[in-house]
Structures are given as structure tokens and as C-alpha cells.
Amino acid sequence: TDSSSLNGSEIYYLRTNGRWAQADADAASKSSSLLGVGLGGDPQTVGVLLKGFVRVASTEILNDPGAGAVSGLPVYISTTGGHFDFTAPSGSGDIVRIVGYAIDDDGGDILIYFDPDKTYIEIA
């Protein structure tokens, strides 16, 4: 669904109507366009992170390999709406798109360099 207030640490895609909605690797329509990270508020006033460093809350990232084991690992769009994932989607019809790389972890939160790949693949 479209949102006028984006949750911090979640991945969103820009819809053709100019509104942001949660990205989801279950469908190309929800994961292949312009992506951004919500900054916790109205995107018209707070903005949306399109590229750069962002601290992602532990509740918004799945399949964390554990403290001290994340540095340099790729991070993907999850099949759980709005979430990041350390494991690439693998179901038929899922979209695999790297959205950044983990830099470090702190108390379960993950520092990510968010720089979504411009390409993606769809699992047959």
C-alpha cells in the first residue's frame, strides 16, 4: 500500500503515481524500480535515502548471520515487504536484487551501504 509516512529502516519503491510503497521481492512491479530507504516520516518533508550509509534496525533485516559476521556481505530485498535480507530470494517468480552491502553491526542493528543494483533477475 502507498504511504504518506515511511517507516525508518524499511525499503520502499517509487510507484508510477509518485508515491512510495514497501518493496517486496515477490513481484517485479514492487522491486525493479527506483528504491529508497524510509527515514521515518513524510517523504515530502523528511526525504528518502536513495544512496548512502544507513543504520538498519535489527527488526527490519532478516537472516542475520550473527554479530561480527556481516562485514562485506551483500544484502537483498526480502520477500517480506519493506525488509532487507542477507539471503537471496529463491522461490519461483521471486526477484533477486542486491540493494547494498553490510559494513558493520552494532547491538543487532546493521550499518549498510545502500546502493541498489540497477539490474535484477527473476527466478524461473
Side-chain angles (χ1 to χ4, degrees), residues 3-45:
S3 180
S4 59
S5 181
L6 307 184
N7 296 324
S9 296
E10 289 190 2
I11 304 174
Y12 292 87
Y13 72 99
L14 186 60
R15 296 187 48 174
T16 57
N17 66 3
R19 296 181 56 96
W20 294 90
Q22 285 185 329
D24 188 333
D26 282 329
S29 64
K30 296 180 179 182
S31 57
S32 63
S33 61
L34 180 67
L35 298 177
V37 178
L39 298 176
D42 184 338
Q44 296 292 322
T45 56

Side-chain angles (χ1 to χ4, degrees), residues 104-117:
D104 198 4
D105 58 339
D106 180 34
D109 294 347
I110 309 290
L111 178 64
I112 290 177
Y113 178 60
F114 184 75
D115 183 18
D117 197 314

Side-chain angles (χ1 to χ4, degrees), residues 15-124:
R15 296 187 48 174
T16 57
N17 66 3
R19 296 181 56 96
W20 294 90
Q22 285 185 329
D24 188 333
D26 282 329
S29 64
K30 296 180 179 182
S31 57
S32 63
S33 61
L34 180 67
L35 298 177
V37 178
L39 298 176
D42 184 338
Q44 296 292 322
T45 56
V46 177
V48 178
L49 178 75
L50 299 180
K51 183 177 181 179
F53 292 93
V54 62
R55 183 175 177 156
V56 175
S58 60
T59 54
E60 304 299 336
I61 191 160
L62 305 175
N63 298 304
D64 183 344
V70 301
S71 298
L73 294 179
V75 182
Y76 305 87
I77 299 174
S78 176
T79 54
T80 300
H83 285 63
F84 291 81
D85 203 324
F86 277 103
T87 302
S90 58
S92 179
D94 287 351
I95 300 300
V96 179
R97 184 174 178 188
I98 294 174
V99 293
Y101 293 89
I103 303 300
D104 198 4
D105 58 339
D106 180 34
D109 294 347
I110 309 290
L111 178 64
I112 290 177
Y113 178 60
F114 184 75
D115 183 18
D117 197 314
K118 309 307 182 258
T119 62
Y120 62 91
I121 61 168
E122 183 173 347
I123 306 291

